[in-house]
């Protein structure tokens, strides 16, 4: 069985959106703790269908 965690990364800027935090560092930090990146999810919620944020979705084997 797996456990999951979600990390929200806010985006900033007009049509050229940039993440507010360095998502690469977050991925490396979570990998050190045994998490595996499963997906990056970016819902279109702003004007013209642009994303306001994206989420890093991680999983790892549930520790008992």
């Amino acid at each position: 069985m797996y456990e999951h965690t979600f990390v929200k990364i806010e985006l900033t800027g007009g049509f050229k959106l940039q993440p507010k935090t360095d998502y690469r560092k977050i991925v490396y930090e979570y990998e050190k703790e045994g998490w595996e990146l499963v997906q990056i999810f970016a819902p279109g919620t702003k004007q013209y269908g642009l994303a306001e944020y994206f989420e890093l979705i991680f999983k790892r084997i549930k520790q008992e």
Side-chain angles (χ1 to χ4, degrees):
M1 182 161 217
Y2 292 99
E3 61 181 324
H4 295 81
T5 189
F6 304 83
V7 179
K8 189 173 184 177
I9 308 291
E10 298 288 336
L11 299 173
T12 185
F15 284 105
K16 187 173 180 170
L17 297 171
Q18 297 290 321
K20 289 184 179 181
T21 56
D22 186 358
Y23 62 90
R24 293 175 189 97
K25 287 183 181 179
I26 294 170
V27 171
Y28 293 139
E29 288 173 14
Y30 275 78
E31 283 182 346
K32 289 178 187 175
E33 297 176 12
W35 293 99
E36 176 186 354
L37 179 65
V38 176
Q39 182 178 0
I40 299 173
F41 175 68
T45 57
K46 286 179 79 170
Q47 190 175 24
Y48 304 111
L50 298 174
E52 273 185 58
Y53 64 92
F54 62 86
E55 284 189 333
L56 304 175
I57 304 171
F58 294 92
K59 74 174 183 178
R60 70 178 174 188
I61 295 175
K62 192 169 190 171
Q63 308 203 358
E64 298 183 35

